[in-house]
Amino acid sequence: MNIVQQLIKEFQLKEFQVTNTMKLIDEGNTIPFIARYRKEQTGELSDTVLRDLAERLNYLRNLENRKEEVHRLIDEQEKLTPELEEKIKKANTLQEVEDIYRPFRPKRRTRATIAKEKGLEPLADIIYGQTLNTEEIMVAAEEYIDSEKEVSTIEDALNGAMDIIAETVSDNADYRKEIRSMTLKEGIIISKAVDEKTSSVYEMYYDFKEAVKTIADHRVLAINRGEKEEFLKIKLDINEEAINYYLKKKIINNDGKKNIYLETAIEDAYKRLISPSIEREIRGFLTEKAEEKAIKVFGENLKKLLLQPPIKDKVVMGFDPAYRTGCKIAVVDGTGKLLETTTVYPTVPQNDIIGSKNKLKQMIEKNNVEIIAIGNGTGSRESELFVAEMLSEINRSVYYMIVSEAGASVYSASELASKEYPDINVSIRGAISIARRVQDPLAELVKIDPKHVGVGQYQHDVNQKRLDEALTGVVEDCVNSVGVDLNTASPSLLQYISGISKAVAENIAKYREEEGKLTNRNQLKKVKRLGPAAFIQCAGFLRITDGENPLDNTSVHPESYKAAEALLNNVAFPLKNLNNKSLNDLREKLNNIDIEDMAEKLNIGVPTLKDIAKELKKPGRDPREEMPKPLFRTDVLKIEDLKVDMVLMGTVRNVIDFGAFVDIGIKNDGLVHISELCDKFVKNPMEVVAIGDIVNVKVIGIDLKKGRVSLSMKGIKQNN
């Protein structure tokens, strides 16, 4: 296999894009670095495409290695034929390679190997050769009766021979490939209840069937979980007659003599050996496909969540709701520094509403609180009612918003939280996290294992190693696309920067403590274990505000400083003035340059020059500021307040295969089913909405008993 040509075909890229990307990856460059600073080499491939390409490259290389290994193993058995060599060479998947190797793989003792030990292989060859009819085979079988080998009767001999034939048929790679294809095209997944009288969340799957080729990924994961929890029995149904017909047509020679034993062995091969194996493979294939989709959905949602716009320089009160143990409160200043904490009891069983209001009003006044961030966990809506009522009684402009508290408890009990707030109670740390998530979602959420941020679908059912790898990649891309302040970023944030390991992140923090504020990027070279290669990878993503060189506060890489300075000289703008807030003159000059002519003049690539110009127009720019701002509220709705056809504004909290959940200010988020997202057909909800979007929705259904609300965006004018 020519891996380069394969990748060109699959990704529809040009040869230079694939070869250069492979070279950059092999040299140890990170995906964020390649995506941002090697655009000329890759033809401006995005970080998403680069990650997919790197993953596929790894698979194809593993495939080639396995093909070489299988070739060697069969050759060592002196069974390698030109036909087998060609099959191995043409194999496009690891499954195909394993099918080819199957007959040559060392086997545990099977019914077939036991029959071979009894000397029945020649009889199997006679039956398979179709030179004798049924009666003649029975006569021939008499010769293989041997009581010492536990072949006491003709029936014993024939059964053993058929076992050998069944395994031979089962091991045939071509037969397996065709049967697998038939099963994928025509198979039916059937789900039944283990006990129909038992109530569970899987009731819709108690008598369920769907074609393998059309079953939705989220249904695959749902029935898998139902099976694991022993509520469901799952089987794969396929036209057994059609498969047996195919096998017999392939094996039985029309010119040969018919015998019942060959037909029986073929049927046994499928029923006992091939069918269970193929069913496992198909279930595995469906699960892997569904898991990849779930991981992709999780990754997309996580990206949108991490890139929510920060609410800078605002004093925020974090409100972690609860019942019996009380609501934990933490106030942080505009930089995230903790100012004050307390616990109040406005919810059942204490219902100390007056005392709680008085305490929080004092804190709001004392600390000039501007925003209250309410966690969306247990007691959230009761707390929201309380907060809304309290805000109506004060003379300050204070707003509240509902914030996902997913992972806050995980963070609270973590070693990192203990280091950050050693003298603060574990339960209060959650309120601090909720408050700081409003101020800078990215900086706060990177402290939590991505799996626990609550924007996935069946995240506990998928391959955890694969999930970790994918989500770590998403976090890396987000952190590097935004960049971090070198002097204020926590080690937990720094470790996601291209080229920086956890140990190096800790060393940067230690260097800051010992040497004080860094004033230029070159000082990074003095950090322990941060070598020249790591410096190249990380330097462009680390910002220094008010440093010696204004370019250090941009994503312009140090390797492009000369080009940036030359560009400024060409438009007659002093580098030192880049720190000034008023850059209208520079923006106008940069907008009027001929990019291609200037790139040739400065001897740099057009994509790099475009990026430099973009950074010079807005030094220190945070790309998240271009995202839609969160929805602030001052009042609250109850589900009882809703009416069908009511139009409301809400925030998209989660996007899954079958639609989106929208917070409209009631206890539970409403569901916009995929069929209600817009007037045209929608294949993927992410084509229409993303986490954090502010959308207008219409109420189309209310289930008071279950607390569920159905919403629609069809025919509703959106703000964007």
Side-chain angles (χ1 to χ4, degrees):
M1 179 188 290
N2 185 321
I3 290 178
V4 172
Q5 291 304 314
Q6 185 71 19
L7 291 172
I8 289 171
K9 181 181 176 183
E10 288 183 19
F11 288 85
Q12 297 184 320
L13 300 175
K14 295 176 181 175
E15 186 170 345
F16 85 91
Q17 292 177 294
V18 173
T19 54
N20 286 349
T21 299
M22 287 172 63
K23 184 172 182 289
L24 288 164
I25 290 170
D26 290 342
E27 287 172 351
N29 295 288
T30 68
I31 296 300
F33 177 80
I34 296 170
R36 181 66 180 79
Y37 296 112
R38 293 296 180 262
K39 290 182 178 180
E40 283 82 8
Q41 288 94 317
T42 68
E44 299 187 76
L45 296 181
S46 70
D47 50 13
T48 304
V49 173
L50 287 168
R51 285 197 186 278
D52 289 344
L53 193 148
E55 190 176 306
R56 185 61 177 155
L57 172 62
N58 186 54
Y59 178 90
L60 293 175
R61 283 176 168 171
N62 286 339
L63 174 62
E64 287 304 298
N65 291 337
R66 183 58 178 158
K67 284 161 80 168
E68 289 174 12
E69 187 179 17
V70 165
H71 185 283
R72 176 182 60 79
L73 290 169
I74 298 175
D75 193 31
E76 286 175 358
Q77 297 178 34
E78 298 182 352
K79 295 178 181 177
L80 189 65
T81 63
E83 184 186 10
L84 272 174
E85 278 193 289
E86 189 64 20
K87 279 187 176 181
I88 294 170
K89 185 179 177 182
K90 288 184 175 179
N92 289 319
T93 66
L94 285 167
Q95 183 65 65
E96 285 182 67
V97 177
E98 296 309 322
D99 281 350
I100 294 166
Y101 182 50
R102 191 182 187 90
F104 309 97
R105 186 190 301 278
K107 288 184 171 65
R108 57 181 175 80
R109 289 189 84 226
T110 63
R111 281 164 51 171
T113 56
I114 292 168
K116 287 176 183 178
E117 290 167 6
K118 293 177 179 179
L120 296 172
E121 197 164 8
L123 179 59
D125 291 340
I126 290 170
I127 297 171
Y128 203 79
Q130 304 170 59
T131 55
L132 303 179
N133 62 29
T134 301
E135 291 75 18
E136 291 168 333
I137 288 171
M138 289 181 70
V139 173
E142 292 179 11
E143 297 179 25
Y144 295 90
I145 295 174
D146 187 337
S147 57
E148 289 184 8
K149 293 182 178 178
E150 298 181 357
V151 184
S152 305
T153 64
I154 290 174
E155 188 178 359
D156 289 343
L158 290 170
N159 285 339
M162 286 189 289
D163 285 340
I164 294 170
I165 293 169
E167 188 166 277
T168 301
V169 172
S170 171
D171 284 346
N172 186 291
D174 291 335
Y175 301 161
R176 280 184 164 269
K177 185 176 180 179
E178 181 60 27
I179 292 169
R180 188 181 297 112
S181 176
M182 290 171 71
T183 308
L184 283 168
K185 288 176 184 174
E186 301 166 20
I188 304 289
I189 289 278
I190 297 176
S191 169
K192 295 283 185 183
V194 171
D195 181 1
E196 291 182 358
K197 296 177 183 177
T198 304
S199 179
S200 77
V201 295
Y202 305 105
E203 286 176 20
M204 71 172 288
Y205 298 108
Y206 278 9
D207 187 14
F208 171 84
K209 60 173 66 175
E210 189 164 352
V212 168
K213 64 183 178 183
T214 60
I215 188 167
D217 295 316
H218 64 272
R219 290 200 187 104
V220 171
L221 296 177
I223 62 174
N224 283 358
R225 185 190 286 179
E227 183 181 42
K228 186 178 179 182
E229 294 178 7
E230 299 183 353
F231 286 103
L232 304 175
K233 294 179 291 186
I234 314 298
K235 73 171 184 176
L236 191 60
D237 190 46
I238 185 69
N239 187 338
E240 197 170 320
E241 265 185 46
I243 291 175
N244 280 322
Y245 176 78
Y246 158 75
L247 287 171
K248 289 173 184 177
K249 189 176 180 183
K250 285 298 232 180
I251 296 167
I252 295 174
N253 181 359
N254 290 331
D255 298 328
K257 294 186 177 181
K258 288 191 176 183
N259 68 79
I260 190 65
Y261 305 111
L262 180 56
E263 290 193 21
T264 302
I266 291 170
E267 290 170 5
D268 179 52
Y270 175 67
K271 188 170 185 178
R272 180 170 58 87
L273 300 174
I274 300 175
S275 178
S277 174
I278 294 292
E279 180 164 347
R280 283 193 301 272
E281 288 174 15
I282 298 296
R283 291 284 307 275
F285 163 76
L286 289 174
T287 298
E288 187 177 338
K289 176 172 162 284
E291 287 183 352
E292 281 301 309
K293 178 68 179 296
I295 289 170
K296 187 172 183 180
V297 168
F298 200 146
E300 289 289 335
N301 284 340
L302 177 63
K303 185 173 185 177
K304 296 295 182 182
L305 182 67
L306 293 176
L307 293 179
Q308 290 291 291
I311 308 299
K312 295 180 179 178
D313 305 321
K314 299 288 185 184
V315 180
V316 180
M317 173 182 284
F319 193 116
D320 190 0
Y323 292 123
R324 183 181 55 82
T325 56
C327 302
K328 309 303 183 293
I329 310 296
V331 179
V332 297
D333 71 9
T335 66
K337 179 184 175 184
L338 182 63
L339 298 176
E340 190 176 358
T341 68
T342 192
T343 302
V344 293
Y345 300 88
T347 53
V348 293
Q350 290 90 342
N351 289 317
D352 180 19
I353 294 174
I354 295 175
S356 299
K357 280 183 181 178
N358 290 337
K359 178 61 181 173
L360 295 190
K361 286 176 182 178
Q362 289 171 12
M363 293 177 74
I364 290 169
E365 194 63 37
K366 175 184 173 184
N367 299 293
N368 295 318
V369 171
E370 297 164 271
I371 298 168
I372 300 177
I374 305 172
N376 67 343
T378 304
S380 172
R381 293 308 176 183
E382 293 87 339
S383 299
E384 183 183 6
L385 280 166
F386 163 75
V387 168
E389 189 176 298
M390 177 187 68
L391 294 184
S392 69
E393 298 171 4
I394 63 176
N395 295 320
R396 294 176 57 85
S397 293
V398 182
Y399 301 91
Y400 75 82
M401 61 183 292
I402 302 296
V403 179
S404 169
E405 65 176 46
S409 59
V410 175
Y411 161 76
S412 300
S414 69
E415 184 181 346
L416 175 60
S418 298
K419 285 182 180 177
E420 287 188 323
Y421 303 106
D423 302 321
I424 300 294
N425 185 280
V426 171
S427 59
I428 293 290
R429 292 174 190 161
I432 300 171
S433 178
I434 290 168
R436 293 177 68 166
R437 287 181 192 199
V438 174
Q439 296 178 321
D440 193 336
L442 182 61
E444 196 62 26
L445 290 170
V446 293
K447 300 174 183 177
I448 301 162
D449 185 330
K451 287 184 293 188
H452 298 300
V453 297
V455 290
Q457 181 184 8
Y458 297 103
Q459 61 261 38
H460 302 297
D461 300 315
V462 304
N463 183 303
Q464 295 301 295
K465 182 174 182 292
R466 176 76 188 94
L467 179 64
D468 286 340
E469 290 171 353
L471 297 187
T472 298
V474 170
V475 179
E476 285 176 356
D477 290 341
C478 290
V479 173
N480 286 284
S481 69
V482 172
V484 304
D485 189 316
L486 182 54
N487 284 305
T488 61
S490 66
S492 54
L493 189 57
L494 286 168
Q495 70 184 21
Y496 284 107
I497 288 292
S498 169
I500 294 181
S501 65
K502 187 175 182 180
V504 171
E506 294 286 353
N507 289 341
I508 291 173
K510 287 178 185 175
Y511 183 86
R512 291 188 313 216
E513 288 175 16
E514 294 167 1
E515 302 295 329
K517 184 179 178 182
L518 280 75
T519 56
N520 68 74
R521 282 171 169 166
N522 283 327
Q523 287 173 273
L524 277 168
K525 296 175 182 178
K526 299 176 183 178
V527 173
K528 188 178 178 182
R529 294 174 65 179
L530 198 157
F535 176 80
I536 290 172
Q537 296 293 309
C538 74
F541 302 110
L542 298 168
R543 311 277 188 271
I544 297 176
T545 55
D546 302 322
E548 297 168 5
N549 188 336
L551 293 175
D552 284 349
N553 193 31
T554 71
S555 67
V556 176
H557 197 282
E559 65 188 9
S560 296
Y561 278 8
K562 287 185 179 178
E565 290 168 13
L567 175 61
L568 289 171
N569 287 336
N570 270 274
V571 296
F573 190 91
L575 175 61
K576 64 180 181 180
N577 289 352
L578 204 60
N579 276 331
N580 297 339
K581 290 183 179 179
S582 180
L583 296 169
N584 291 334
D585 181 42
L586 175 60
R587 292 188 192 111
E588 188 176 338
K589 289 178 176 180
L590 291 175
N591 286 335
N592 290 328
I593 64 170
D594 186 310
I595 287 287
E596 292 189 1
D597 285 350
M598 185 62 73
E600 187 176 345
K601 185 175 182 180
L602 301 180
N603 195 28
I604 58 172
V606 170
T608 296
L609 180 58
K610 284 181 178 178
D611 283 346
I612 291 172
K614 187 177 180 181
E615 285 300 309
L616 295 179
K617 289 175 187 176
K618 288 186 177 181
R621 176 187 67 96
D622 188 331
R624 294 174 295 173
E625 292 173 359
E626 298 168 10
M627 305 290 283
K629 295 290 186 285
L631 184 62
F632 295 112
R633 299 184 183 277
T634 56
D635 56 3
V636 69
L637 269 177
K638 297 178 184 176
I639 192 170
E640 291 81 6
D641 298 332
L642 299 182
K643 299 283 187 294
V644 171
D645 291 335
M646 185 181 282
V647 176
L648 302 162
M649 185 180 288
T651 304
V652 177
R653 293 295 181 198
N654 202 1
V655 184
I656 60 293
D657 277 352
F658 52 86
F661 286 101
V662 178
D663 174 7
I664 53 171
I666 62 170
K667 185 169 184 177
N668 297 321
D669 294 339
L671 173 65
V672 182
H673 189 267
I674 188 170
S675 61
E676 295 291 337
L677 283 170
C678 67
D679 295 311
K680 64 180 183 180
F681 172 75
V682 177
K683 187 175 181 181
N684 180 358
M686 288 182 180
E687 297 169 2
V688 182
V689 290
I691 282 183
D693 283 356
I694 307 301
V695 294
N696 294 318
V697 293
K698 180 169 72 175
V699 178
I700 58 172
I702 305 165
D703 187 334
L704 290 173
K705 187 177 179 182
K706 294 184 177 179
R708 293 177 181 172
V709 177
S710 299
L711 305 170
S712 176
M713 290 169 57
K714 280 185 173 181
I716 308 294
K717 186 177 180 182
Q718 300 301 321
N719 299 325
N720 52 348

